[in-house]
Amino acid sequence: MNRDPQTHEETLTDVLNTFVASTEEPTPAALTAFIQRYPQFRQELTDFAVGWSQSHWLAPSTPDPVDEGALIERAMGVVTSVLERRQQQEAAVDSPPPRLALAGVPIHHLAESAGLSPALWRKLDRRLLHSIPAQVVARVAEVMRLSTETIERYLAQPATLPANASYRAERAPQLSESEDFFDAVRGDLTLDDERRQGLLVLGHPAAAPTDEEEG
Amino acid sequence: MTIRPLTRRRANGSPYQREEHVDVQIAAALALSPGDLVRRIAVRDVESDAYLQEECLVYLIREHHRADHRELVDQLWRALLRRSAKHINGKLQSLGRDHVDDAFGDVVTELAEEILDLEDDRGDFLQVRFWFGVRRMIYSVFDHHSRQINQSQRDLSSDKTDVGVMSETTADPSISMEQRALYLDGLNAIPEPQRTAFRLRHFDGWQIATGDPDTPCISRYFDKTPRTIRNWLNEAEQALRAWRGDTR
């Protein structure tokens, strides 16, 4: 990850790496020099030096013969579990969200940020629209702080009923038919003319993004 | 194939740089077929031209992990661990049998986390100075486990040692090499935290107390009065005398 050299600050890990590379032993003089250089890590450097010294000086209480093969297999088990955990985390990050919603952020704020009306946002949330321009998907992804691929996967799922829907038991719930995005824009009376026109010129989902939206 | 540059920066803002010969090894390894690469990483003779350094193996693990070449990643990890697992385990032995396995797992976990995190460059140092990076992990983990051991031993013993006895050791913190060699064998006969205090004082030359906040001292490290530290040192000496069979 690139960082601005002007604002670069060394982390504790960086400092400890440098400390280890700078001296054979954690002598008080070497430790003092580092504490003076990095006073924000005074405690961490001191603790680290104690661990270093202890590992350096103390002999094994009872030296055990090491089965190197077993040791490597144990280490491989650890590496495999780290790999699996990372893959699970990455899969979770890539999974579509359960809703197009952010905790504590009202729908109309999300819609406004994406240049949509709350009604259009709700239809997207329930996956009731088709032929959605790529630019709109990109805006929603930005507002939701997710990738466009993730939002595309969300929108490709089956339509849903409203989260707070209630209906009489004797009537089966009905899902609305999928609606063309541009028809929805034309029929949305809450949009002002400027915003409506802005959405209608976005064109077909296959159309290239405008220069402005490419950024 | 282009070799990815390191992006982690030093305090002066300059990025870390791999050694030139490591870059040469990486370029050669990237040109190999998977089968040839597996044969190449099996070379253990450090004098051989075919030998790939640990820094190179770290780069290759990240590169093939990025490409999701799982079998190759597994082989590369095995090669790296064949070189490092015994060393790591050996450095942790003095924690004692009850702790060494957990500590070993902690070091390997940290190593794997740094190498496999493709979104972060914190593991760049391992492509520059692998063994220093590993040592940093060992000492950090050692300190963590050592504290746990100390705490559990302190919990078991009441703090009844503050009786104002001045240890003879405070007068002469430096000990001869012969004494040091002798004491090394006996250190394990000293209970914690007296052992760590004794070691810091006589092996590392720490002061018992100092008013300078930048200078390390045993009293501040343990957050105990200098008097308590002196008593711990005295107890450590008594334990050593008992270990030597000296009942004076």
Side-chain angles (χ1 to χ4, degrees), chain B residues 195-224:
Chain B
R195 180 171 63 178
T196 296
F198 185 86
R199 183 177 44 77
L200 290 173
R201 179 69 169 150
H202 296 295
F203 285 67
D204 296 326
W206 283 34
Q207 297 180 52
I208 292 174
T210 170
D212 178 2
D214 289 344
T215 301
C217 67
I218 308 170
S219 170
R220 193 179 310 117
Y221 174 71
F222 282 107
D223 194 21
K224 294 287 182 187

PDB file of all heavy atoms in Angstrom, chain B residues 195-224:
ATOM      1  N   ARG B 195      13.714 -14.328  38.389  1.00  0.00           N
ATOM      2  CA  ARG B 195      14.650 -14.719  37.333  1.00  0.00           C
ATOM      3  C   ARG B 195      14.820 -13.605  36.298  1.00  0.00           C
ATOM      4  O   ARG B 195      15.947 -13.278  35.907  1.00  0.00           O
ATOM      5  CB  ARG B 195      14.153 -16.001  36.649  1.00  0.00           C
ATOM      6  CG  ARG B 195      15.073 -16.458  35.536  1.00  0.00           C
ATOM      7  CD  ARG B 195      14.709 -17.826  35.018  1.00  0.00           C
ATOM      8  NE  ARG B 195      13.384 -17.861  34.415  1.00  0.00           N
ATOM      9  CZ  ARG B 195      12.854 -18.944  33.857  1.00  0.00           C
ATOM     10  NH1 ARG B 195      13.535 -20.071  33.854  1.00  0.00           N
ATOM     11  NH2 ARG B 195      11.660 -18.909  33.330  1.00  0.00           N
ATOM     12  N   THR B 196      13.699 -13.041  35.860  1.00  0.00           N
ATOM     13  CA  THR B 196      13.795 -11.975  34.856  1.00  0.00           C
ATOM     14  C   THR B 196      14.532 -10.763  35.435  1.00  0.00           C
ATOM     15  O   THR B 196      15.367 -10.147  34.758  1.00  0.00           O
ATOM     16  CB  THR B 196      12.389 -11.566  34.375  1.00  0.00           C
ATOM     17  OG1 THR B 196      11.800 -12.694  33.727  1.00  0.00           O
ATOM     18  CG2 THR B 196      12.449 -10.404  33.400  1.00  0.00           C
ATOM     19  N   ALA B 197      14.244 -10.442  36.697  1.00  0.00           N
ATOM     20  CA  ALA B 197      14.924  -9.303  37.334  1.00  0.00           C
ATOM     21  C   ALA B 197      16.432  -9.563  37.406  1.00  0.00           C
ATOM     22  O   ALA B 197      17.250  -8.686  37.088  1.00  0.00           O
ATOM     23  CB  ALA B 197      14.347  -9.079  38.731  1.00  0.00           C
ATOM     24  N   PHE B 198      16.779 -10.791  37.791  1.00  0.00           N
ATOM     25  CA  PHE B 198      18.190 -11.154  37.913  1.00  0.00           C
ATOM     26  C   PHE B 198      18.890 -11.083  36.554  1.00  0.00           C
ATOM     27  O   PHE B 198      20.008 -10.576  36.419  1.00  0.00           O
ATOM     28  CB  PHE B 198      18.284 -12.575  38.485  1.00  0.00           C
ATOM     29  CG  PHE B 198      19.683 -13.032  38.773  1.00  0.00           C
ATOM     30  CD1 PHE B 198      20.298 -12.735  39.985  1.00  0.00           C
ATOM     31  CD2 PHE B 198      20.398 -13.769  37.830  1.00  0.00           C
ATOM     32  CE1 PHE B 198      21.595 -13.167  40.249  1.00  0.00           C
ATOM     33  CE2 PHE B 198      21.697 -14.189  38.088  1.00  0.00           C
ATOM     34  CZ  PHE B 198      22.293 -13.892  39.301  1.00  0.00           C
ATOM     35  N   ARG B 199      18.213 -11.584  35.558  1.00  0.00           N
ATOM     36  CA  ARG B 199      18.806 -11.605  34.216  1.00  0.00           C
ATOM     37  C   ARG B 199      18.990 -10.189  33.674  1.00  0.00           C
ATOM     38  O   ARG B 199      20.029  -9.849  33.111  1.00  0.00           O
ATOM     39  CB  ARG B 199      17.896 -12.421  33.285  1.00  0.00           C
ATOM     40  CG  ARG B 199      18.402 -12.607  31.887  1.00  0.00           C
ATOM     41  CD  ARG B 199      17.460 -13.484  31.102  1.00  0.00           C
ATOM     42  NE  ARG B 199      16.071 -13.149  31.294  1.00  0.00           N
ATOM     43  CZ  ARG B 199      15.475 -12.108  30.730  1.00  0.00           C
ATOM     44  NH1 ARG B 199      16.150 -11.306  29.941  1.00  0.00           N
ATOM     45  NH2 ARG B 199      14.208 -11.868  30.963  1.00  0.00           N
ATOM     46  N   LEU B 200      17.978  -9.372  33.859  1.00  0.00           N
ATOM     47  CA  LEU B 200      18.088  -7.994  33.362  1.00  0.00           C
ATOM     48  C   LEU B 200      19.232  -7.268  34.064  1.00  0.00           C
ATOM     49  O   LEU B 200      19.962  -6.487  33.448  1.00  0.00           O
ATOM     50  CB  LEU B 200      16.771  -7.241  33.583  1.00  0.00           C
ATOM     51  CG  LEU B 200      15.594  -7.693  32.708  1.00  0.00           C
ATOM     52  CD1 LEU B 200      14.300  -6.993  33.147  1.00  0.00           C
ATOM     53  CD2 LEU B 200      15.862  -7.395  31.233  1.00  0.00           C
ATOM     54  N   ARG B 201      19.372  -7.552  35.346  1.00  0.00           N
ATOM     55  CA  ARG B 201      20.399  -6.853  36.126  1.00  0.00           C
ATOM     56  C   ARG B 201      21.807  -7.350  35.771  1.00  0.00           C
ATOM     57  O   ARG B 201      22.702  -6.563  35.486  1.00  0.00           O
ATOM     58  CB  ARG B 201      20.109  -7.086  37.613  1.00  0.00           C
ATOM     59  CG  ARG B 201      21.104  -6.444  38.555  1.00  0.00           C
ATOM     60  CD  ARG B 201      20.998  -4.965  38.531  1.00  0.00           C
ATOM     61  NE  ARG B 201      21.766  -4.351  39.598  1.00  0.00           N
ATOM     62  CZ  ARG B 201      22.314  -3.163  39.494  1.00  0.00           C
ATOM     63  NH1 ARG B 201      22.189  -2.471  38.376  1.00  0.00           N
ATOM     64  NH2 ARG B 201      22.978  -2.648  40.492  1.00  0.00           N
ATOM     65  N   HIS B 202      21.984  -8.651  35.768  1.00  0.00           N
ATOM     66  CA  HIS B 202      23.349  -9.181  35.680  1.00  0.00           C
ATOM     67  C   HIS B 202      23.785  -9.625  34.291  1.00  0.00           C
ATOM     68  O   HIS B 202      24.966  -9.738  34.025  1.00  0.00           O
ATOM     69  CB  HIS B 202      23.497 -10.352  36.660  1.00  0.00           C
ATOM     70  CG  HIS B 202      23.336  -9.928  38.076  1.00  0.00           C
ATOM     71  ND1 HIS B 202      24.206  -9.077  38.707  1.00  0.00           N
ATOM     72  CD2 HIS B 202      22.366 -10.191  38.982  1.00  0.00           C
ATOM     73  CE1 HIS B 202      23.797  -8.843  39.939  1.00  0.00           C
ATOM     74  NE2 HIS B 202      22.683  -9.503  40.132  1.00  0.00           N
ATOM     75  N   PHE B 203      22.846  -9.885  33.445  1.00  0.00           N
ATOM     76  CA  PHE B 203      23.208 -10.295  32.088  1.00  0.00           C
ATOM     77  C   PHE B 203      23.070  -9.146  31.102  1.00  0.00           C
ATOM     78  O   PHE B 203      23.821  -9.063  30.136  1.00  0.00           O
ATOM     79  CB  PHE B 203      22.340 -11.483  31.634  1.00  0.00           C
ATOM     80  CG  PHE B 203      22.730 -12.775  32.277  1.00  0.00           C
ATOM     81  CD1 PHE B 203      22.563 -12.970  33.636  1.00  0.00           C
ATOM     82  CD2 PHE B 203      23.283 -13.804  31.540  1.00  0.00           C
ATOM     83  CE1 PHE B 203      22.935 -14.152  34.235  1.00  0.00           C
ATOM     84  CE2 PHE B 203      23.667 -14.992  32.122  1.00  0.00           C
ATOM     85  CZ  PHE B 203      23.490 -15.168  33.485  1.00  0.00           C
ATOM     86  N   ASP B 204      22.070  -8.293  31.324  1.00  0.00           N
ATOM     87  CA  ASP B 204      21.842  -7.189  30.390  1.00  0.00           C
ATOM     88  C   ASP B 204      22.290  -5.841  30.937  1.00  0.00           C
ATOM     89  O   ASP B 204      22.285  -4.853  30.205  1.00  0.00           O
ATOM     90  CB  ASP B 204      20.356  -7.111  30.019  1.00  0.00           C
ATOM     91  CG  ASP B 204      19.911  -8.370  29.274  1.00  0.00           C
ATOM     92  OD1 ASP B 204      20.725  -8.917  28.516  1.00  0.00           O
ATOM     93  OD2 ASP B 204      18.770  -8.800  29.460  1.00  0.00           O
ATOM     94  N   GLY B 205      22.623  -5.809  32.225  1.00  0.00           N
ATOM     95  CA  GLY B 205      23.165  -4.585  32.794  1.00  0.00           C
ATOM     96  C   GLY B 205      22.156  -3.478  33.037  1.00  0.00           C
ATOM     97  O   GLY B 205      22.513  -2.298  33.051  1.00  0.00           O
ATOM     98  N   TRP B 206      20.908  -3.826  33.239  1.00  0.00           N
ATOM     99  CA  TRP B 206      19.896  -2.800  33.538  1.00  0.00           C
ATOM    100  C   TRP B 206      20.103  -2.274  34.957  1.00  0.00           C
ATOM    101  O   TRP B 206      20.505  -3.010  35.860  1.00  0.00           O
ATOM    102  CB  TRP B 206      18.485  -3.391  33.457  1.00  0.00           C
ATOM    103  CG  TRP B 206      17.967  -3.598  32.065  1.00  0.00           C
ATOM    104  CD1 TRP B 206      18.673  -3.948  30.952  1.00  0.00           C
ATOM    105  CD2 TRP B 206      16.605  -3.498  31.654  1.00  0.00           C
ATOM    106  NE1 TRP B 206      17.840  -4.070  29.872  1.00  0.00           N
ATOM    107  CE2 TRP B 206      16.555  -3.797  30.267  1.00  0.00           C
ATOM    108  CE3 TRP B 206      15.411  -3.199  32.298  1.00  0.00           C
ATOM    109  CZ2 TRP B 206      15.376  -3.797  29.533  1.00  0.00           C
ATOM    110  CZ3 TRP B 206      14.235  -3.202  31.581  1.00  0.00           C
ATOM    111  CH2 TRP B 206      14.217  -3.490  30.204  1.00  0.00           C
ATOM    112  N   GLN B 207      19.793  -1.010  35.140  1.00  0.00           N
ATOM    113  CA  GLN B 207      19.806  -0.432  36.480  1.00  0.00           C
ATOM    114  C   GLN B 207      18.534  -0.838  37.214  1.00  0.00           C
ATOM    115  O   GLN B 207      17.500  -1.123  36.593  1.00  0.00           O
ATOM    116  CB  GLN B 207      19.870   1.091  36.402  1.00  0.00           C
ATOM    117  CG  GLN B 207      21.145   1.606  35.736  1.00  0.00           C
ATOM    118  CD  GLN B 207      21.155   3.117  35.688  1.00  0.00           C
ATOM    119  OE1 GLN B 207      20.951   3.779  36.699  1.00  0.00           O
ATOM    120  NE2 GLN B 207      21.387   3.667  34.512  1.00  0.00           N
ATOM    121  N   ILE B 208      18.648  -0.852  38.556  1.00  0.00           N
ATOM    122  CA  ILE B 208      17.445  -1.180  39.346  1.00  0.00           C
ATOM    123  C   ILE B 208      16.434  -0.042  39.228  1.00  0.00           C
ATOM    124  O   ILE B 208      15.236  -0.286  39.032  1.00  0.00           O
ATOM    125  CB  ILE B 208      17.828  -1.430  40.823  1.00  0.00           C
ATOM    126  CG1 ILE B 208      18.653  -2.720  40.915  1.00  0.00           C
ATOM    127  CG2 ILE B 208      16.583  -1.514  41.707  1.00  0.00           C
ATOM    128  CD1 ILE B 208      19.208  -3.001  42.296  1.00  0.00           C
ATOM    129  N   ALA B 209      16.902   1.178  39.325  1.00  0.00           N
ATOM    130  CA  ALA B 209      16.009   2.325  39.205  1.00  0.00           C
ATOM    131  C   ALA B 209      16.786   3.507  38.642  1.00  0.00           C
ATOM    132  O   ALA B 209      17.992   3.616  38.848  1.00  0.00           O
ATOM    133  CB  ALA B 209      15.419   2.692  40.569  1.00  0.00           C
ATOM    134  N   THR B 210      16.089   4.355  37.945  1.00  0.00           N
ATOM    135  CA  THR B 210      16.701   5.578  37.422  1.00  0.00           C
ATOM    136  C   THR B 210      15.614   6.632  37.250  1.00  0.00           C
ATOM    137  O   THR B 210      14.453   6.302  36.984  1.00  0.00           O
ATOM    138  CB  THR B 210      17.411   5.322  36.081  1.00  0.00           C
ATOM    139  OG1 THR B 210      17.777   6.582  35.508  1.00  0.00           O
ATOM    140  CG2 THR B 210      16.516   4.596  35.097  1.00  0.00           C
ATOM    141  N   GLY B 211      16.031   7.870  37.405  1.00  0.00           N
ATOM    142  CA  GLY B 211      15.064   8.960  37.234  1.00  0.00           C
ATOM    143  C   GLY B 211      14.887   9.347  35.777  1.00  0.00           C
ATOM    144  O   GLY B 211      13.957  10.098  35.444  1.00  0.00           O
ATOM    145  N   ASP B 212      15.755   8.846  34.916  1.00  0.00           N
ATOM    146  CA  ASP B 212      15.664   9.190  33.488  1.00  0.00           C
ATOM    147  C   ASP B 212      14.619   8.300  32.807  1.00  0.00           C
ATOM    148  O   ASP B 212      14.831   7.075  32.707  1.00  0.00           O
ATOM    149  CB  ASP B 212      17.045   9.001  32.841  1.00  0.00           C
ATOM    150  CG  ASP B 212      17.012   9.292  31.343  1.00  0.00           C
ATOM    151  OD1 ASP B 212      15.937   9.679  30.830  1.00  0.00           O
ATOM    152  OD2 ASP B 212      18.061   9.128  30.694  1.00  0.00           O
ATOM    153  N   PRO B 213      13.527   8.877  32.322  1.00  0.00           N
ATOM    154  CA  PRO B 213      12.474   8.032  31.739  1.00  0.00           C
ATOM    155  C   PRO B 213      12.904   7.319  30.459  1.00  0.00           C
ATOM    156  O   PRO B 213      12.282   6.340  30.059  1.00  0.00           O
ATOM    157  CB  PRO B 213      11.342   9.030  31.454  1.00  0.00           C
ATOM    158  CG  PRO B 213      12.003  10.368  31.377  1.00  0.00           C
ATOM    159  CD  PRO B 213      13.181  10.303  32.296  1.00  0.00           C
ATOM    160  N   ASP B 214      13.975   7.812  29.808  1.00  0.00           N
ATOM    161  CA  ASP B 214      14.432   7.173  28.574  1.00  0.00           C
ATOM    162  C   ASP B 214      15.352   5.987  28.829  1.00  0.00           C
ATOM    163  O   ASP B 214      15.664   5.230  27.915  1.00  0.00           O
ATOM    164  CB  ASP B 214      15.171   8.189  27.687  1.00  0.00           C
ATOM    165  CG  ASP B 214      14.218   9.201  27.087  1.00  0.00           C
ATOM    166  OD1 ASP B 214      12.995   8.932  27.100  1.00  0.00           O
ATOM    167  OD2 ASP B 214      14.685  10.256  26.625  1.00  0.00           O
ATOM    168  N   THR B 215      15.825   5.868  30.055  1.00  0.00           N
ATOM    169  CA  THR B 215      16.735   4.767  30.372  1.00  0.00           C
ATOM    170  C   THR B 215      15.937   3.627  30.999  1.00  0.00           C
ATOM    171  O   THR B 215      15.230   3.835  31.983  1.00  0.00           O
ATOM    172  CB  THR B 215      17.833   5.234  31.348  1.00  0.00           C
ATOM    173  OG1 THR B 215      18.552   6.313  30.733  1.00  0.00           O
ATOM    174  CG2 THR B 215      18.794   4.104  31.676  1.00  0.00           C
ATOM    175  N   PRO B 216      16.046   2.428  30.420  1.00  0.00           N
ATOM    176  CA  PRO B 216      15.272   1.318  30.983  1.00  0.00           C
ATOM    177  C   PRO B 216      15.762   0.948  32.369  1.00  0.00           C
ATOM    178  O   PRO B 216      16.960   1.002  32.652  1.00  0.00           O
ATOM    179  CB  PRO B 216      15.533   0.179  29.987  1.00  0.00           C
ATOM    180  CG  PRO B 216      16.832   0.512  29.344  1.00  0.00           C
ATOM    181  CD  PRO B 216      16.892   2.008  29.281  1.00  0.00           C
ATOM    182  N   CYS B 217      14.844   0.603  33.235  1.00  0.00           N
ATOM    183  CA  CYS B 217      15.233   0.118  34.558  1.00  0.00           C
ATOM    184  C   CYS B 217      14.232  -0.941  35.018  1.00  0.00           C
ATOM    185  O   CYS B 217      13.077  -0.957  34.583  1.00  0.00           O
ATOM    186  CB  CYS B 217      15.343   1.259  35.566  1.00  0.00           C
ATOM    187  SG  CYS B 217      13.794   2.044  35.953  1.00  0.00           S
ATOM    188  N   ILE B 218      14.721  -1.819  35.900  1.00  0.00           N
ATOM    189  CA  ILE B 218      13.925  -2.987  36.311  1.00  0.00           C
ATOM    190  C   ILE B 218      12.704  -2.549  37.112  1.00  0.00           C
ATOM    191  O   ILE B 218      11.609  -3.086  36.953  1.00  0.00           O
ATOM    192  CB  ILE B 218      14.797  -3.961  37.131  1.00  0.00           C
ATOM    193  CG1 ILE B 218      16.087  -4.287  36.364  1.00  0.00           C
ATOM    194  CG2 ILE B 218      14.036  -5.237  37.445  1.00  0.00           C
ATOM    195  CD1 ILE B 218      17.117  -5.041  37.189  1.00  0.00           C
ATOM    196  N   SER B 219      12.901  -1.552  37.957  1.00  0.00           N
ATOM    197  CA  SER B 219      11.810  -1.083  38.803  1.00  0.00           C
ATOM    198  C   SER B 219      10.627  -0.615  37.957  1.00  0.00           C
ATOM    199  O   SER B 219       9.474  -0.977  38.215  1.00  0.00           O
ATOM    200  CB  SER B 219      12.321   0.068  39.680  1.00  0.00           C
ATOM    201  OG  SER B 219      11.263   0.686  40.338  1.00  0.00           O
ATOM    202  N   ARG B 220      10.903   0.157  36.929  1.00  0.00           N
ATOM    203  CA  ARG B 220       9.832   0.665  36.076  1.00  0.00           C
ATOM    204  C   ARG B 220       9.214  -0.450  35.240  1.00  0.00           C
ATOM    205  O   ARG B 220       8.011  -0.496  35.039  1.00  0.00           O
ATOM    206  CB  ARG B 220      10.360   1.783  35.166  1.00  0.00           C
ATOM    207  CG  ARG B 220       9.240   2.563  34.480  1.00  0.00           C
ATOM    208  CD  ARG B 220       9.743   3.690  33.587  1.00  0.00           C
ATOM    209  NE  ARG B 220      10.692   4.553  34.245  1.00  0.00           N
ATOM    210  CZ  ARG B 220      11.963   4.708  33.858  1.00  0.00           C
ATOM    211  NH1 ARG B 220      12.422   4.062  32.816  1.00  0.00           N
ATOM    212  NH2 ARG B 220      12.777   5.499  34.523  1.00  0.00           N
ATOM    213  N   TYR B 221      10.057  -1.364  34.789  1.00  0.00           N
ATOM    214  CA  TYR B 221       9.541  -2.451  33.962  1.00  0.00           C
ATOM    215  C   TYR B 221       8.505  -3.275  34.727  1.00  0.00           C
ATOM    216  O   TYR B 221       7.452  -3.624  34.208  1.00  0.00           O
ATOM    217  CB  TYR B 221      10.691  -3.349  33.493  1.00  0.00           C
ATOM    218  CG  TYR B 221      10.210  -4.578  32.763  1.00  0.00           C
ATOM    219  CD1 TYR B 221       9.653  -4.486  31.489  1.00  0.00           C
ATOM    220  CD2 TYR B 221      10.279  -5.831  33.369  1.00  0.00           C
ATOM    221  CE1 TYR B 221       9.179  -5.614  30.833  1.00  0.00           C
ATOM    222  CE2 TYR B 221       9.809  -6.962  32.710  1.00  0.00           C
ATOM    223  CZ  TYR B 221       9.267  -6.849  31.452  1.00  0.00           C
ATOM    224  OH  TYR B 221       8.790  -7.960  30.807  1.00  0.00           O
ATOM    225  N   PHE B 222       8.814  -3.585  35.999  1.00  0.00           N
ATOM    226  CA  PHE B 222       7.879  -4.401  36.780  1.00  0.00           C
ATOM    227  C   PHE B 222       6.851  -3.541  37.521  1.00  0.00           C
ATOM    228  O   PHE B 222       5.948  -4.087  38.145  1.00  0.00           O
ATOM    229  CB  PHE B 222       8.651  -5.243  37.815  1.00  0.00           C
ATOM    230  CG  PHE B 222       9.308  -6.462  37.231  1.00  0.00           C
ATOM    231  CD1 PHE B 222      10.678  -6.523  37.064  1.00  0.00           C
ATOM    232  CD2 PHE B 222       8.538  -7.559  36.848  1.00  0.00           C
ATOM    233  CE1 PHE B 222      11.282  -7.657  36.534  1.00  0.00           C
ATOM    234  CE2 PHE B 222       9.142  -8.693  36.323  1.00  0.00           C
ATOM    235  CZ  PHE B 222      10.508  -8.748  36.157  1.00  0.00           C
ATOM    236  N   ASP B 223       7.037  -2.240  37.475  1.00  0.00           N
ATOM    237  CA  ASP B 223       6.181  -1.332  38.240  1.00  0.00           C
ATOM    238  C   ASP B 223       6.216  -1.692  39.729  1.00  0.00           C
ATOM    239  O   ASP B 223       5.190  -1.825  40.403  1.00  0.00           O
ATOM    240  CB  ASP B 223       4.742  -1.381  37.700  1.00  0.00           C
ATOM    241  CG  ASP B 223       3.912  -0.214  38.233  1.00  0.00           C
ATOM    242  OD1 ASP B 223       4.512   0.793  38.655  1.00  0.00           O
ATOM    243  OD2 ASP B 223       2.670  -0.319  38.242  1.00  0.00           O
ATOM    244  N   LYS B 224       7.415  -1.896  40.237  1.00  0.00           N
ATOM    245  CA  LYS B 224       7.642  -2.225  41.646  1.00  0.00           C
ATOM    246  C   LYS B 224       8.676  -1.257  42.220  1.00  0.00           C
ATOM    247  O   LYS B 224       9.454  -0.658  41.481  1.00  0.00           O
ATOM    248  CB  LYS B 224       8.179  -3.663  41.792  1.00  0.00           C
ATOM    249  CG  LYS B 224       7.204  -4.743  41.374  1.00  0.00           C
ATOM    250  CD  LYS B 224       6.088  -4.887  42.388  1.00  0.00           C
ATOM    251  CE  LYS B 224       5.136  -6.003  42.012  1.00  0.00           C
ATOM    252  NZ  LYS B 224       3.954  -6.046  42.895  1.00  0.00           N
TER     253      LYS B 224
END
